[in-house]
Amino acid sequence: MTDHPTPDRPTPDRPTPDHPTPDHPTPDRPTSGHSTPGRPTPDGPTPELFTWEFAGNPYPAYAWLREHAPVHRTRLPSGVEAWLVTRYADAKQALADPRLSKNPAHHDEPAHAKGKTGIPGERKAELMTHLLNIDPPDHTRLRRLVSKAFTPRRVAEFAPRVQELADGLIDRFAGTGSADLIHEFAFPLPIYAICDLLGVPREDQDDFREWAGMMIRHGGGPRGGVARSVKKMRGYLADLIHRKRAALPAEPGPGEDLISGLIRASDHGEHLTENEAAAMAFILLFAGFETTVNLVGNGVHALLTHPEQRARLQTSLAAGERALLETGVEELLRYDGPVELATWRFATRALTIGGQEIAAGDPVLVVLAAADRDPERFTDPDTLDLSRRDSQHLGYGHGIHYCLGAPLARLEGQTAIGTLLTRLPDLRLAADPAELRWRGGLIMRGLRTLPVSFTPVASSSADDGPPSTQR
């Protein structure tokens, strides 16, 4: 959800298969934690980052960085230079350090103005004033306004709708014996869920699905497609806010949607501008769906490639137990989580992280995927163990920017994975794991497709229409 990493950058922030782009550091920068990929060092050659091979399995490279260059300066494929923080203790410090600002105005280069350090098109669409780009006190004020939508009670009330969505989506392919779990299940589930939470009318939700699809398609879509989708979404949200304001009842009803709540707060002295309201709705949608897409996709992929763990979970589910599902989802978040790097932070003044001096204005990227496999913090970190009790991973961040929507994301992940394994008990990969492709981008980690096969089963209900129209 919000306050955690936004969806990843489109190409050219990742290399294409035909034009891989290693990170090229600048020779005149400090050498500590900074070296050219492939160049021999006392500890061996620095691994190449941000190639297609790296995207498929970044963990060996991150292990090297943790050991030899834990705070590592690199040039990203976009051309922006940034520090990568890879050890758990350093990552936790950086995520909570107030000297690292979320506001791109603190960057010492104009890269943010060129769309290289944020969501494409958000600046032109006047959608910059959201939780991922601001610091206290504005961050505190805006977070307070939306936090009530993600309380444990509100999330529990939403659970039946998430279950309905999961069952409805499975119904649409259960009888075929095969599916692409990304496009047919993991992607639409959180889109419809967050649209319901925001108050997007059911008849408009397929438009949101189309725009969101363009946002995560990256290099697979037309050039500039992300920015155009952002612009369309901004125009729609502005119109929806006006319509909801005109029809807003005097008193809130039970389960009032989040956009109506934002309007009500704005109209009662909370000083929420229309741009802030639109930006909040935008980031809740934008940052609130791809993490769940990747949680479900990466999680199912991990289970299908670790059959003994998958069997343990299915046995537990068949016995009507949920404990292993709950700890298992936390372990999947740690083991191969949906967010590879936390979103951009910028040093407001000089500071030291992990013994490395960071200059004022320098960008810092915390590598959550590396921190969550740090052997100094987790026993056997490269082993998937669904019963692991130490769940203090950083998959949803840490500090004041800890993921606001984590309770909903956990509910969606548990519901999606539990329902899939229960209703399709012989689910299996329909492709060689080595041939699966991971989406290009800097922040997020997720599969492009996840083809599976299974024994066809009957629909769970007579109505197998689109979940967006089920009631």
Side-chain angles (χ1 to χ4, degrees):
M1 304 299 291
T2 192
D3 263 27
H4 62 91
T6 55
D8 47 5
R9 300 275 304 132
T11 51
D13 262 339
R14 278 282 190 184
T16 65
D18 298 325
H19 299 89
T21 307
D23 63 0
H24 295 294
T26 302
D28 59 356
R29 299 297 298 195
T31 57
S32 177
H34 171 241
S35 52
T36 301
R39 177 181 297 170
T41 70
D43 302 305
T46 306
E48 286 192 312
L49 308 178
F50 311 119
T51 64
W52 282 121
E53 293 75 16
F54 170 86
N57 182 14
Y59 296 104
Y62 288 149
W64 192 98
L65 290 177
R66 271 197 316 267
E67 183 175 356
H68 303 296
V71 182
H72 174 70
R73 187 177 183 92
T74 189
R75 185 188 296 267
L76 304 172
S78 63
V80 176
E81 292 194 8
W83 295 96
L84 304 181
V85 179
T86 56
R87 288 180 178 169
Y88 183 94
D90 297 336
K92 194 171 182 179
Q93 171 203 332
L95 290 170
D97 196 320
R99 296 170 295 180
L100 292 175
S101 170
K102 298 292 292 175
N103 189 340
H106 290 291
H107 192 188
D108 65 354
E109 298 179 12
H112 64 280
K114 299 177 182 178
K116 293 185 177 182
T117 62
I119 301 169
E122 65 176 352
R123 177 175 295 276
K124 289 184 178 179
E126 297 183 308
L127 291 170
M128 291 287 291
T129 52
H130 55 69
L131 292 175
L132 291 174
N133 285 339
I134 58 175
D135 303 314
D138 286 335
H139 174 272
T140 307
R141 173 176 61 91
L142 294 180
R143 186 176 175 109
R144 183 180 66 248
L145 292 178
V146 296
S147 61
K148 59 185 178 183
F150 302 103
T151 62
R153 178 180 177 182
R154 184 71 185 274
V155 170
E157 292 172 348
F158 202 56
R161 174 57 178 160
V162 176
Q163 185 65 62
E164 178 190 28
L165 286 168
D167 281 322
L169 289 166
I170 293 175
D171 284 345
R172 297 169 74 175
F173 59 78
T176 68
S178 65
D180 173 3
L181 284 186
I182 300 299
H183 294 284
E184 297 179 63
F185 184 70
F187 173 67
L189 173 64
I191 284 290
Y192 293 136
I194 196 65
C195 280
D196 279 357
L197 193 68
L198 287 171
V200 176
R202 298 283 174 89
E203 61 270 20
D204 296 339
Q205 291 184 6
D206 284 334
D207 288 335
F208 269 76
R209 179 176 176 174
E210 179 182 350
W211 298 330
M214 183 61 68
M215 290 176 183
I216 71 168
R217 201 170 296 140
H218 308 304
R223 185 176 181 85
V226 177
R228 284 195 295 273
S229 293
V230 169
K231 184 177 180 181
K232 290 178 182 178
M233 192 176 290
R234 171 65 173 91
Y236 175 85
L237 288 172
D239 179 67
L240 182 62
I241 288 170
H242 284 303
R243 285 188 281 135
K244 283 186 175 290
R245 175 171 276 128
L248 197 69
E251 297 295 331
E256 181 176 68
D257 67 75
L258 186 50
I259 290 180
S260 294
L262 292 173
I263 295 168
R264 194 178 299 281
S266 178
D267 291 347
H268 287 77
E270 287 285 356
H271 308 297
L272 190 70
T273 68
E274 180 180 296
N275 278 348
E276 287 176 331
M280 286 289 287
F282 165 73
I283 203 61
L284 285 166
L285 176 74
F286 197 11
F289 80 90
E290 194 174 2
T291 48
T292 301
V293 175
N294 294 346
L295 167 58
V296 176
N298 298 4
V300 172
H301 172 262
L303 291 171
L304 295 183
T305 53
H306 293 78
E308 73 292 344
Q309 293 294 312
R310 174 256 189 91
R312 289 179 63 197
L313 181 54
Q314 285 185 296
T315 299
S316 173
L317 291 169
E321 301 168 353
R322 287 191 58 86
L324 191 62
L325 178 63
E326 292 172 359
T327 61
V329 166
E330 297 307 308
E331 173 69 347
L332 293 170
L333 284 162
R334 182 203 68 82
Y335 179 78
D336 196 13
V339 183
E340 192 167 336
L341 282 75
T343 42
W344 297 85
R345 285 165 167 79
F346 306 93
T348 58
R349 58 181 185 272
L351 73 154
T352 301
I353 302 175
Q356 173 64 56
E357 294 183 2
I358 309 294
D362 276 0
V364 174
L365 291 167
V366 177
V367 188
L368 305 178
D372 280 341
R373 290 211 188 184
D374 188 343
E376 294 295 319
R377 179 60 184 81
F378 298 100
T379 303
D380 297 325
D382 294 322
T383 298
L384 179 67
D385 179 6
L386 299 185
S387 60
R388 189 186 295 269
R389 295 292 177 178
D390 183 2
S391 61
Q392 299 300 309
H393 60 78
L394 299 177
Y396 286 129
H398 175 68
I400 65 169
H401 289 279
Y402 180 81
C403 175
L404 184 64
L408 179 59
R410 286 186 169 101
L411 169 67
E412 292 173 337
Q414 291 172 15
T415 303
I417 292 172
T419 305
L420 271 176
L421 295 183
T422 300
R423 292 192 54 190
L424 307 176
D426 64 345
L427 191 72
R428 55 195 177 273
L429 275 176
D432 184 338
E435 295 177 357
L436 295 176
R437 298 298 300 272
W438 297 80
R439 283 197 302 271
L442 181 64
I443 300 298
M444 305 296 284
R445 174 167 172 77
L447 287 161
R448 288 179 179 268
T449 62
L450 184 58
V452 296
S453 58
F454 48 87
T455 301
V457 297
S459 168
S460 66
S461 65
D463 179 7
D464 62 351
S468 60
T469 61
Q470 292 180 352
R471 293 190 183 272

